[in-house]
Amino acid sequence: MKFIRKNAEAEKPFYVQYWPNWLDFLAPDIERNKLNGGKVAEAYHRLDTFVGLVMDELESLGIAKNTIFAAMADNGPMVHNLPPGWGMTQIMFSGGKGDITEGGVRVPAFAWWPGRFGGGQLVSDIVHVTDLFTTFVTLAGATDHIPRDRIIDGNNQSSLLLNGDTHSHRDYVHIYQGHTLAATVKGRYKQHWISSDPGAASGIGASFYDLYQDPHEENPHLVPLIHISGQFNIMRKRHELLKEQYPDKPNARGVPLTGLSNARRETLAIAERLERNLQGLPVSVQGIVRRQPSFELHDFDWGE
């Protein structure tokens, strides 16, 4: 909030990316403000209150009509083996964090720009998180600053935000599980590339889903989706050829919060404390995090 005020008062353009700690799993129950009193409900209440404060601040500073405010989740709910009563449940879509089903990857997102984005719209087009970079750069008139020395995955979705549903520049998305291509969505249809369904291994379409008719991805369609298997196979081959031409970088390994540029004072203080605590240990922590294990690793791998 101080950063926004500082730049607004100086009449300078600004960009803020803020990831609030929505829910602390280890903290005791927070003050109860909602009737059901669950951790998730209280987290929503706290987040909603904060969002309201930010929007009120933009209005009071007189910059609301020249500021885009976007809010979204980063993944589906953690529905697996949580304590009862937490309220993290799958609703319309099945699955949660770490799953390749829509409940794990499809999340709520909102965009607000008074006078420019039409209010009360419900958009069903696909938007990928990587699209935000190119979209914001375009709306800010700063496309000359888009790097040309690398592949930029994001599509410009300014037309969707300004004109509404059906104006998206993306109708497909590839879904990974770690470094494994696990599924592909094209419009309303989806193919699971990894599946426990014994019919999927035959390649005759048993892993195809119609997300409009079956948002829980429980009943794979052999008919009538068998006729689109060729198109999905071509999409996968094209994607794999691009990955061969532009391979992933290996996962970075290092001590957290160190080596950052333009970090906050609070973050630098944590990094300095970490560095002090690492001194005098019998084994180098840097060596541990960078060492490739000689045994099978069972830790989560979220990929890039």
Side-chain angles (χ1 to χ4, degrees):
M1 300 289 274
K2 291 179 180 178
F3 179 81
I4 291 175
R5 294 190 197 106
K6 175 183 176 181
N7 285 274
E9 292 167 359
E11 298 185 351
K12 291 183 178 181
F14 62 87
Y15 172 78
V16 176
Q17 180 171 294
Y18 180 65
W19 297 86
N21 187 8
W22 173 69
L23 178 60
D24 189 338
F25 295 100
L26 303 179
D29 286 337
I30 59 179
E31 180 183 354
R32 297 193 174 191
N33 297 286
K34 308 303 293 181
L35 289 177
N36 73 8
K39 276 182 175 288
V40 172
E42 296 299 340
Y44 274 127
H45 174 79
R46 188 173 66 245
L47 180 63
D48 188 53
T49 300
F50 171 74
V51 169
L53 291 174
V54 175
M55 297 175 78
D56 289 345
E57 187 70 18
L58 296 177
E59 294 278 10
S60 65
L61 291 171
I63 59 173
K65 291 186 177 180
N66 197 33
T67 304
I68 299 171
F69 188 178
M72 71 206 71
D74 63 342
N75 51 252
M78 304 181 84
V79 299
H80 305 294
N81 304 316
L82 279 176
W86 275 39
M88 279 197 173
T89 56
Q90 57 187 27
I91 305 177
M92 181 176 181
F93 301 104
S94 64
K97 183 179 178 68
D99 293 328
I100 67 170
T101 48
E102 295 299 285
V105 295
R106 186 189 294 233
V107 299
F110 307 86
W112 179 77
W113 190 5
R116 301 299 298 273
F117 298 162
Q121 295 187 75
L122 179 62
V123 175
S124 60
D125 286 346
I126 295 175
V127 177
H128 194 271
V129 65
T130 58
D131 297 339
L132 299 182
F133 171 68
T134 33
T135 302
F136 292 160
V137 167
T138 300
L139 291 171
T143 53
D144 288 345
H145 296 284
I146 296 178
R148 307 297 177 184
D149 61 344
R150 71 203 69 176
I151 296 296
I152 302 297
D153 293 324
N155 291 338
N156 173 21
Q157 298 283 26
S158 56
S159 179
L160 175 68
L161 293 176
L162 294 170
N163 301 310
D165 201 21
T166 75
H167 288 85
S168 174
H169 288 166
R170 178 187 295 278
D171 69 344
Y172 75 94
V173 63
H174 296 295
I175 298 171
Y176 273 76
Q177 195 165 56
H179 291 281
T180 302
L181 178 61
T184 298
V185 179
K186 173 76 169 177
R188 65 187 285 176
Y189 301 118
K190 181 174 184 177
Q191 177 164 8
H192 289 190
W193 299 112
I194 56 176
S195 174
S196 59
D197 189 316
S202 67
I204 59 174
S207 56
F208 283 102
Y209 298 86
D210 184 332
L211 297 177
Y212 285 9
Q213 297 181 4
D214 181 24
H216 274 181
E217 300 167 66
E218 294 176 336
N219 302 293
H221 287 207
L222 174 58
V223 180
L225 298 185
I226 189 173
H227 66 282
I228 65 172
S229 62
Q231 289 93 321
F232 272 82
N233 289 339
I234 290 174
M235 287 181 64
R236 178 171 182 172
K237 291 177 182 178
R238 184 175 64 221
H239 178 67
E240 289 175 344
L241 285 171
L242 284 171
K243 290 293 290 288
E244 289 178 7
Q245 188 173 357
Y246 305 101
D248 292 335
K249 294 180 179 179
N251 286 355
R253 298 177 183 273
V255 179
L257 301 179
T258 58
L260 300 177
S261 60
N262 197 28
R264 298 185 306 156
R265 289 193 301 270
E266 297 86 346
T267 303
L268 292 175
I270 297 173
E272 291 170 0
R273 188 167 69 248
L274 275 172
E275 293 283 7
R276 288 197 303 271
N277 292 339
L278 295 180
Q279 303 300 320
L281 293 178
V283 178
S284 166
V285 173
Q286 291 89 338
I288 292 175
V289 296
R290 292 170 183 159
R291 180 182 176 84
Q292 296 295 334
S294 57
F295 51 88
E296 185 177 357
L297 195 62
H298 295 285
D299 291 341
F300 286 118
D301 179 4
W302 303 112
E304 294 297 318

